[in-house]
Amino acid sequence: MNLTLIQMAQMVGTAMESATTALLTADLALAEEVIAQDDRIDTTQHDLDAKTLDTMARQQPVASDLRILVTSLRMSADLERMGDLCHHIARTARMRYPSSAVPPELAATIQGMGNSAKAIIEKLGRVLETRDVKLALEVERDDDEMDALHRQLFMILLADDWSHGIETAIDMTLIGRYYERCADHAVSIARRVYFLVTGEYAAALNN
Amino acid sequence: MNLTLIQMAQMVGTAMESATTALLTADLALAEEVIAQDDRIDTTQHDLDAKTLDTMARQQPVASDLRILVTSLRMSADLERMGDLCHHIARTARMRYPSSAVPPELAATIQGMGNSAKAIIEKLGRVLETRDVKLALEVERDDDEMDALHRQLFMILLADDWSHGIETAIDMTLIGRYYERCADHAVSIARRVYFLVTGEYAAALNN
């Protein structure tokens, strides 16, 4: 795919890793960096979409090229939203600073969700680079790991010995949702690559 | 805009009203209806997008027509996602049946969020029909009411006398997020209409 989409995936991958670290270690400077980086992701999307629309208007592309251009617009929207979700995670880190938003019982689960999201986004970058449909299907399977971690998060929140109160439960519910949605968007992009290459849909995304 | 987009907004408005009622009254049949309706919204989007792509490929539209077609693709994606969020609300109603997922203290707030979302979606339908930019800006202001209700929801969850435990707090956190995101997507569509008509961006969406 377009080089800028691959760059956007790299930016989102970096933002995801930093947001998770900022959240777990209450690193305010890193949280601010992710928040600032989100503006750059938004600008990159805006510029890419303008170029894509310009190409559509000037070159009057044939059906197959048009499909690639339209898909590029959809992918850039997904990547932009993934950047927003990293921003949301970083904002929670900033809001709870100097405390960490994540209680000790949930640190491993959140780190796992962060690692899973980072790995999915990195694989997605390779899918965009190579259009490898086998790899695109792997992204979908990797998302099952994220879903399992998401269920684990709720089990810990709902355990009888939860002692961190409602506010932290609310934070962790929303944080869990941000990670899960980020992975969903990655699956959505991987499916678009799959469709572009094969002309067929991968199985339906259950969200 | 395209008649099908207006129909999609109507479908989403109906789904939103029914989902809220199903949630507040633990109406299982109504919840199932919303869940089934979401498939119809998805199919409508799929068919509309296929037609839009076909028009792009066959008619080789000039820049202004191309912009309308691309915007239609983006709006249908927003409306499809709004349908998903109604589906999520209905699914929570179904999951907690025969109890209501919403405790008495939050009934008025959730009803308010449902009413606000319904009103925003109805106004959005009129914006799509008339391309009235004044009305498009109103959608943005109406979203402030949703944000105020969202803050009220958190205040009730975080009050010292909250007695419904973590599970209900998690449910209500996610439900609040679904309403808020639904209104955000409506604002996003209203902004696209504004841009199509004026060639200028309305102020940035803070999400």
Side-chain angles (χ1 to χ4, degrees), chain B residues 94-146:
Chain B
R94 184 172 69 179
M95 189 167 58
R96 300 302 171 212
Y97 176 85
S99 302
S100 165
V102 182
E105 294 96 310
L106 276 171
T109 307
I110 296 290
Q111 184 68 65
M113 293 181 96
N115 292 347
S116 178
K118 178 78 199 311
I120 284 173
I121 297 163
E122 269 176 0
K123 193 170 283 181
L124 179 65
R126 296 211 305 282
V127 169
L128 291 170
E129 228 175 306
T130 61
R131 299 201 192 190
D132 179 337
V133 291
K134 206 171 135 274
L135 217 53
L137 291 176
E138 269 183 44
V139 170
E140 191 133 359
R141 280 197 296 276
D142 293 349
D143 184 43
D144 293 342
E145 186 190 311
M146 177 65 88

Short mmCIF file of all heavy atoms in Angstrom, two decimals, chain B residues 94-146:
data_model
loop_
_atom_site.label_atom_id
_atom_site.label_comp_id
_atom_site.label_asym_id
_atom_site.label_seq_id
_atom_site.Cartn_x
_atom_site.Cartn_y
_atom_site.Cartn_z
N ARG B 94 -30.13 -7.04 26.78
CA ARG B 94 -30.38 -8.47 26.67
C ARG B 94 -29.57 -9.26 27.71
O ARG B 94 -30.07 -10.21 28.32
CB ARG B 94 -30.03 -8.96 25.26
CG ARG B 94 -30.35 -10.43 25.04
CD ARG B 94 -30.19 -10.84 23.60
NE ARG B 94 -28.80 -10.83 23.19
CZ ARG B 94 -28.38 -11.17 21.96
NH1 ARG B 94 -29.26 -11.49 21.01
NH2 ARG B 94 -27.11 -11.14 21.66
N MET B 95 -28.35 -8.85 27.93
CA MET B 95 -27.45 -9.55 28.84
C MET B 95 -27.97 -9.51 30.27
O MET B 95 -27.83 -10.46 31.02
CB MET B 95 -26.07 -8.92 28.76
CG MET B 95 -24.96 -9.67 29.48
SD MET B 95 -23.32 -9.04 28.98
CE MET B 95 -23.44 -7.29 29.43
N ARG B 96 -28.58 -8.38 30.66
CA ARG B 96 -29.04 -8.22 32.05
C ARG B 96 -30.49 -8.64 32.25
O ARG B 96 -30.99 -8.63 33.38
CB ARG B 96 -28.86 -6.77 32.52
CG ARG B 96 -27.42 -6.28 32.50
CD ARG B 96 -26.48 -7.12 33.35
NE ARG B 96 -25.08 -6.75 33.14
CZ ARG B 96 -24.07 -7.59 33.23
NH1 ARG B 96 -24.27 -8.86 33.51
NH2 ARG B 96 -22.83 -7.17 33.03
N TYR B 97 -31.21 -8.92 31.16
CA TYR B 97 -32.61 -9.36 31.26
C TYR B 97 -32.70 -10.59 32.16
O TYR B 97 -31.84 -11.45 32.06
CB TYR B 97 -33.14 -9.70 29.86
CG TYR B 97 -34.54 -10.26 29.86
CD1 TYR B 97 -35.63 -9.41 29.88
CD2 TYR B 97 -34.77 -11.64 29.87
CE1 TYR B 97 -36.91 -9.92 29.91
CE2 TYR B 97 -36.05 -12.15 29.91
CZ TYR B 97 -37.13 -11.28 29.92
OH TYR B 97 -38.40 -11.78 29.95
N PRO B 98 -33.70 -10.76 33.05
CA PRO B 98 -34.92 -9.95 33.19
C PRO B 98 -34.75 -8.70 34.07
O PRO B 98 -35.72 -7.97 34.25
CB PRO B 98 -35.90 -10.92 33.84
CG PRO B 98 -35.05 -11.83 34.64
CD PRO B 98 -33.75 -11.96 33.90
N SER B 99 -33.54 -8.48 34.63
CA SER B 99 -33.34 -7.21 35.34
C SER B 99 -33.15 -6.09 34.33
O SER B 99 -32.80 -6.33 33.18
CB SER B 99 -32.07 -7.29 36.20
OG SER B 99 -32.17 -8.36 37.11
N SER B 100 -33.35 -4.86 34.79
CA SER B 100 -32.93 -3.72 33.98
C SER B 100 -31.46 -3.46 34.30
O SER B 100 -31.04 -3.54 35.46
CB SER B 100 -33.75 -2.48 34.31
OG SER B 100 -33.10 -1.33 33.76
N ALA B 101 -30.67 -3.19 33.27
CA ALA B 101 -29.24 -2.91 33.47
C ALA B 101 -29.04 -1.60 34.21
O ALA B 101 -27.96 -1.35 34.75
CB ALA B 101 -28.53 -2.87 32.11
N VAL B 102 -30.09 -0.75 34.24
CA VAL B 102 -29.91 0.62 34.74
C VAL B 102 -30.53 0.76 36.13
O VAL B 102 -31.74 0.55 36.29
CB VAL B 102 -30.59 1.64 33.79
CG1 VAL B 102 -30.37 3.07 34.26
CG2 VAL B 102 -30.08 1.45 32.36
N PRO B 103 -29.75 1.11 37.14
CA PRO B 103 -30.32 1.31 38.47
C PRO B 103 -31.15 2.60 38.52
O PRO B 103 -30.92 3.50 37.70
CB PRO B 103 -29.09 1.41 39.38
CG PRO B 103 -27.98 1.85 38.49
CD PRO B 103 -28.29 1.33 37.12
N PRO B 104 -32.11 2.68 39.46
CA PRO B 104 -33.04 3.82 39.50
C PRO B 104 -32.34 5.19 39.50
O PRO B 104 -32.79 6.11 38.82
CB PRO B 104 -33.79 3.62 40.83
CG PRO B 104 -33.64 2.17 41.15
CD PRO B 104 -32.38 1.69 40.52
N GLU B 105 -31.21 5.30 40.22
CA GLU B 105 -30.51 6.60 40.29
C GLU B 105 -30.06 7.10 38.93
O GLU B 105 -29.80 8.29 38.76
CB GLU B 105 -29.24 6.52 41.15
CG GLU B 105 -29.45 6.24 42.60
CD GLU B 105 -29.31 4.77 42.88
OE1 GLU B 105 -29.94 3.96 42.16
OE2 GLU B 105 -28.58 4.42 43.82
N LEU B 106 -29.86 6.16 38.00
CA LEU B 106 -29.31 6.56 36.69
C LEU B 106 -30.37 6.59 35.60
O LEU B 106 -30.06 6.98 34.46
CB LEU B 106 -28.17 5.62 36.29
CG LEU B 106 -26.82 6.00 36.89
CD1 LEU B 106 -25.78 4.91 36.62
CD2 LEU B 106 -26.32 7.32 36.30
N ALA B 107 -31.61 6.20 35.93
CA ALA B 107 -32.64 6.09 34.88
C ALA B 107 -32.85 7.42 34.15
O ALA B 107 -32.89 7.46 32.92
CB ALA B 107 -33.94 5.58 35.49
N ALA B 108 -32.93 8.51 34.92
CA ALA B 108 -33.20 9.81 34.28
C ALA B 108 -32.03 10.23 33.39
O ALA B 108 -32.23 10.77 32.29
CB ALA B 108 -33.47 10.87 35.35
N THR B 109 -30.80 9.97 33.85
CA THR B 109 -29.62 10.36 33.06
C THR B 109 -29.55 9.56 31.76
O THR B 109 -29.29 10.12 30.68
CB THR B 109 -28.33 10.13 33.88
OG1 THR B 109 -28.47 10.80 35.13
CG2 THR B 109 -27.12 10.67 33.15
N ILE B 110 -29.78 8.24 31.88
CA ILE B 110 -29.72 7.40 30.67
C ILE B 110 -30.87 7.76 29.72
O ILE B 110 -30.67 7.87 28.51
CB ILE B 110 -29.79 5.90 31.05
CG1 ILE B 110 -28.55 5.51 31.89
CG2 ILE B 110 -29.94 5.03 29.82
CD1 ILE B 110 -27.25 5.49 31.14
N GLN B 111 -32.06 8.00 30.28
CA GLN B 111 -33.17 8.44 29.43
C GLN B 111 -32.81 9.75 28.74
O GLN B 111 -33.08 9.94 27.55
CB GLN B 111 -34.45 8.62 30.26
CG GLN B 111 -35.69 8.99 29.44
CD GLN B 111 -36.16 7.85 28.53
OE1 GLN B 111 -36.57 6.80 29.00
NE2 GLN B 111 -36.06 8.04 27.22
N GLY B 112 -32.16 10.65 29.49
CA GLY B 112 -31.71 11.92 28.91
C GLY B 112 -30.71 11.71 27.78
O GLY B 112 -30.81 12.34 26.72
N MET B 113 -29.76 10.81 27.99
CA MET B 113 -28.77 10.53 26.93
C MET B 113 -29.45 9.92 25.71
O MET B 113 -29.12 10.26 24.57
CB MET B 113 -27.67 9.60 27.46
CG MET B 113 -26.79 10.25 28.53
SD MET B 113 -25.43 9.16 29.14
CE MET B 113 -24.06 9.70 28.10
N GLY B 114 -30.41 9.03 25.96
CA GLY B 114 -31.16 8.42 24.85
C GLY B 114 -31.96 9.47 24.07
O GLY B 114 -31.94 9.49 22.84
N ASN B 115 -32.63 10.36 24.83
CA ASN B 115 -33.41 11.42 24.17
C ASN B 115 -32.49 12.35 23.38
O ASN B 115 -32.82 12.76 22.26
CB ASN B 115 -34.16 12.26 25.21
CG ASN B 115 -35.26 11.47 25.91
OD1 ASN B 115 -35.64 10.38 25.47
ND2 ASN B 115 -35.77 12.01 27.02
N SER B 116 -31.37 12.68 23.99
CA SER B 116 -30.42 13.59 23.34
C SER B 116 -29.89 12.96 22.05
O SER B 116 -29.84 13.61 20.99
CB SER B 116 -29.29 13.88 24.33
OG SER B 116 -28.32 14.70 23.74
N ALA B 117 -29.51 11.68 22.13
CA ALA B 117 -29.00 10.99 20.94
C ALA B 117 -30.07 10.93 19.85
O ALA B 117 -29.80 11.21 18.68
CB ALA B 117 -28.55 9.57 21.31
N LYS B 118 -31.30 10.59 20.26
CA LYS B 118 -32.40 10.51 19.29
C LYS B 118 -32.62 11.86 18.61
O LYS B 118 -32.77 11.93 17.39
CB LYS B 118 -33.67 10.06 20.03
CG LYS B 118 -34.93 9.96 19.18
CD LYS B 118 -34.94 8.70 18.34
CE LYS B 118 -35.89 8.72 17.16
NZ LYS B 118 -37.26 9.16 17.48
N ALA B 119 -32.63 12.94 19.41
CA ALA B 119 -32.86 14.28 18.85
C ALA B 119 -31.72 14.66 17.89
O ALA B 119 -31.95 15.24 16.82
CB ALA B 119 -32.98 15.30 19.98
N ILE B 120 -30.49 14.33 18.28
CA ILE B 120 -29.33 14.65 17.43
C ILE B 120 -29.44 13.89 16.10
O ILE B 120 -29.20 14.45 15.02
CB ILE B 120 -28.01 14.30 18.17
CG1 ILE B 120 -27.71 15.37 19.24
CG2 ILE B 120 -26.85 14.15 17.21
CD1 ILE B 120 -26.53 15.04 20.16
N ILE B 121 -29.82 12.62 16.16
CA ILE B 121 -29.90 11.80 14.94
C ILE B 121 -31.04 12.32 14.04
O ILE B 121 -30.89 12.38 12.82
CB ILE B 121 -30.09 10.31 15.28
CG1 ILE B 121 -28.87 9.79 16.06
CG2 ILE B 121 -30.30 9.48 14.02
CD1 ILE B 121 -29.11 8.48 16.79
N GLU B 122 -32.16 12.72 14.68
CA GLU B 122 -33.27 13.27 13.88
C GLU B 122 -32.84 14.58 13.19
O GLU B 122 -33.14 14.80 12.02
CB GLU B 122 -34.49 13.54 14.77
CG GLU B 122 -35.40 12.34 14.82
CD GLU B 122 -36.56 12.53 15.78
OE1 GLU B 122 -36.69 13.60 16.42
OE2 GLU B 122 -37.35 11.57 15.91
N LYS B 123 -32.15 15.41 13.93
CA LYS B 123 -31.67 16.67 13.33
C LYS B 123 -30.68 16.38 12.21
O LYS B 123 -30.70 17.01 11.16
CB LYS B 123 -31.05 17.56 14.41
CG LYS B 123 -30.82 18.98 13.93
CD LYS B 123 -30.43 19.92 15.06
CE LYS B 123 -31.63 20.32 15.90
NZ LYS B 123 -31.27 21.25 17.00
N LEU B 124 -29.83 15.40 12.45
CA LEU B 124 -28.87 15.00 11.43
C LEU B 124 -29.58 14.56 10.14
O LEU B 124 -29.15 14.90 9.04
CB LEU B 124 -28.00 13.85 11.96
CG LEU B 124 -26.96 13.31 10.98
CD1 LEU B 124 -25.91 14.37 10.68
CD2 LEU B 124 -26.31 12.06 11.54
N GLY B 125 -30.68 13.83 10.30
CA GLY B 125 -31.48 13.43 9.13
C GLY B 125 -31.93 14.66 8.34
O GLY B 125 -31.85 14.68 7.10
N ARG B 126 -32.37 15.69 9.07
CA ARG B 126 -32.81 16.92 8.39
C ARG B 126 -31.62 17.63 7.74
O ARG B 126 -31.74 18.22 6.66
CB ARG B 126 -33.52 17.86 9.38
CG ARG B 126 -34.82 17.26 9.94
CD ARG B 126 -35.88 18.33 10.26
NE ARG B 126 -35.40 19.36 11.17
CZ ARG B 126 -35.29 19.22 12.50
NH1 ARG B 126 -35.58 18.07 13.07
NH2 ARG B 126 -34.86 20.21 13.25
N VAL B 127 -30.46 17.58 8.39
CA VAL B 127 -29.24 18.18 7.80
C VAL B 127 -28.90 17.48 6.48
O VAL B 127 -28.57 18.13 5.49
CB VAL B 127 -28.05 18.09 8.79
CG1 VAL B 127 -26.74 18.46 8.10
CG2 VAL B 127 -28.29 18.99 10.01
N LEU B 128 -29.00 16.15 6.49
CA LEU B 128 -28.69 15.39 5.27
C LEU B 128 -29.70 15.71 4.16
O LEU B 128 -29.36 15.75 2.99
CB LEU B 128 -28.72 13.88 5.57
CG LEU B 128 -27.58 13.36 6.45
CD1 LEU B 128 -27.84 11.91 6.87
CD2 LEU B 128 -26.23 13.47 5.76
N GLU B 129 -30.95 15.95 4.56
CA GLU B 129 -32.01 16.23 3.60
C GLU B 129 -31.87 17.63 3.00
O GLU B 129 -32.05 17.82 1.80
CB GLU B 129 -33.35 16.13 4.33
CG GLU B 129 -34.38 15.29 3.59
CD GLU B 129 -35.63 15.14 4.43
OE1 GLU B 129 -35.52 14.69 5.60
OE2 GLU B 129 -36.71 15.49 3.92
N THR B 130 -31.56 18.59 3.86
CA THR B 130 -31.64 19.99 3.43
C THR B 130 -30.27 20.62 3.17
O THR B 130 -30.19 21.68 2.57
CB THR B 130 -32.30 20.85 4.54
OG1 THR B 130 -31.48 20.76 5.72
CG2 THR B 130 -33.71 20.33 4.87
N ARG B 131 -29.20 19.99 3.67
CA ARG B 131 -27.85 20.57 3.65
C ARG B 131 -27.83 21.98 4.27
O ARG B 131 -27.12 22.87 3.81
CB ARG B 131 -27.32 20.69 2.22
CG ARG B 131 -27.20 19.37 1.52
CD ARG B 131 -26.22 19.51 0.40
NE ARG B 131 -26.26 18.36 -0.49
CZ ARG B 131 -25.38 18.14 -1.44
NH1 ARG B 131 -24.40 19.01 -1.64
NH2 ARG B 131 -25.46 17.08 -2.20
N ASP B 132 -28.64 22.14 5.31
CA ASP B 132 -28.74 23.41 6.01
C ASP B 132 -27.55 23.53 6.97
O ASP B 132 -27.46 22.80 7.95
CB ASP B 132 -30.08 23.44 6.77
CG ASP B 132 -30.30 24.71 7.57
OD1 ASP B 132 -29.32 25.39 7.92
OD2 ASP B 132 -31.48 25.02 7.84
N VAL B 133 -26.63 24.47 6.69
CA VAL B 133 -25.39 24.54 7.49
C VAL B 133 -25.65 25.07 8.89
O VAL B 133 -24.93 24.75 9.83
CB VAL B 133 -24.28 25.39 6.80
CG1 VAL B 133 -23.77 24.68 5.56
CG2 VAL B 133 -24.77 26.79 6.49
N LYS B 134 -26.70 25.89 9.03
CA LYS B 134 -27.05 26.40 10.36
C LYS B 134 -27.47 25.22 11.25
O LYS B 134 -27.05 25.10 12.41
CB LYS B 134 -28.20 27.41 10.24
CG LYS B 134 -28.25 28.44 11.36
CD LYS B 134 -29.27 29.53 11.06
CE LYS B 134 -30.13 29.83 12.28
NZ LYS B 134 -31.31 28.93 12.40
N LEU B 135 -28.27 24.34 10.68
CA LEU B 135 -28.71 23.14 11.39
C LEU B 135 -27.52 22.22 11.68
O LEU B 135 -27.45 21.58 12.74
CB LEU B 135 -29.74 22.42 10.51
CG LEU B 135 -30.94 21.73 11.15
CD1 LEU B 135 -31.71 22.67 12.06
CD2 LEU B 135 -31.88 21.19 10.06
N ALA B 136 -26.58 22.17 10.75
CA ALA B 136 -25.38 21.33 10.95
C ALA B 136 -24.60 21.80 12.17
O ALA B 136 -24.12 21.00 12.97
CB ALA B 136 -24.51 21.35 9.70
N LEU B 137 -24.50 23.12 12.33
CA LEU B 137 -23.79 23.66 13.50
C LEU B 137 -24.57 23.39 14.78
O LEU B 137 -23.99 23.21 15.85
CB LEU B 137 -23.54 25.16 13.34
CG LEU B 137 -22.53 25.54 12.25
CD1 LEU B 137 -22.44 27.06 12.12
CD2 LEU B 137 -21.15 24.96 12.55
N GLU B 138 -25.89 23.35 14.66
CA GLU B 138 -26.72 23.04 15.85
C GLU B 138 -26.44 21.64 16.38
O GLU B 138 -26.46 21.42 17.59
CB GLU B 138 -28.21 23.14 15.48
CG GLU B 138 -28.81 24.51 15.70
CD GLU B 138 -30.31 24.51 15.40
OE1 GLU B 138 -31.03 23.57 15.81
OE2 GLU B 138 -30.75 25.45 14.72
N VAL B 139 -26.18 20.69 15.47
CA VAL B 139 -25.88 19.32 15.90
C VAL B 139 -24.68 19.35 16.84
O VAL B 139 -24.65 18.67 17.87
CB VAL B 139 -25.61 18.40 14.69
CG1 VAL B 139 -25.06 17.05 15.12
CG2 VAL B 139 -26.88 18.21 13.86
N GLU B 140 -23.72 20.16 16.47
CA GLU B 140 -22.52 20.30 17.30
C GLU B 140 -22.86 20.84 18.68
O GLU B 140 -22.36 20.33 19.70
CB GLU B 140 -21.59 21.29 16.58
CG GLU B 140 -20.24 21.35 17.15
CD GLU B 140 -19.20 21.27 16.04
OE1 GLU B 140 -19.60 21.15 14.86
OE2 GLU B 140 -18.04 21.33 16.35
N ARG B 141 -23.72 21.84 18.73
CA ARG B 141 -24.10 22.40 20.04
C ARG B 141 -24.92 21.40 20.84
O ARG B 141 -24.78 21.29 22.05
CB ARG B 141 -24.89 23.71 19.84
CG ARG B 141 -23.99 24.91 19.56
CD ARG B 141 -24.73 26.23 19.79
NE ARG B 141 -25.84 26.39 18.86
CZ ARG B 141 -25.73 26.87 17.62
NH1 ARG B 141 -24.55 27.22 17.14
NH2 ARG B 141 -26.78 27.00 16.85
N ASP B 142 -25.80 20.66 20.14
CA ASP B 142 -26.62 19.66 20.84
C ASP B 142 -25.74 18.60 21.49
O ASP B 142 -26.11 18.02 22.52
CB ASP B 142 -27.60 18.99 19.86
CG ASP B 142 -28.66 19.97 19.35
OD1 ASP B 142 -28.75 21.08 19.91
OD2 ASP B 142 -29.38 19.62 18.39
N ASP B 143 -24.58 18.36 20.88
CA ASP B 143 -23.67 17.37 21.46
C ASP B 143 -23.12 17.84 22.81
O ASP B 143 -22.75 17.01 23.64
CB ASP B 143 -22.53 17.10 20.46
CG ASP B 143 -21.59 16.01 20.95
OD1 ASP B 143 -22.08 14.99 21.46
OD2 ASP B 143 -20.37 16.19 20.83
N ASP B 144 -23.10 19.14 23.05
CA ASP B 144 -22.66 19.63 24.36
C ASP B 144 -23.60 19.13 25.47
O ASP B 144 -23.17 18.87 26.59
CB ASP B 144 -22.64 21.17 24.39
CG ASP B 144 -21.58 21.75 23.48
OD1 ASP B 144 -20.66 21.00 23.10
OD2 ASP B 144 -21.66 22.95 23.13
N GLU B 145 -24.89 19.03 25.13
CA GLU B 145 -25.86 18.51 26.10
C GLU B 145 -25.54 17.05 26.42
O GLU B 145 -25.59 16.63 27.59
CB GLU B 145 -27.27 18.61 25.48
CG GLU B 145 -28.39 18.23 26.43
CD GLU B 145 -29.73 18.11 25.68
OE1 GLU B 145 -30.08 19.04 24.91
OE2 GLU B 145 -30.41 17.08 25.86
N MET B 146 -25.19 16.29 25.38
CA MET B 146 -24.79 14.89 25.61
C MET B 146 -23.57 14.83 26.53
O MET B 146 -23.52 14.00 27.45
CB MET B 146 -24.49 14.23 24.26
CG MET B 146 -24.01 12.81 24.36
SD MET B 146 -25.26 11.69 25.04
CE MET B 146 -26.12 11.22 23.54
#
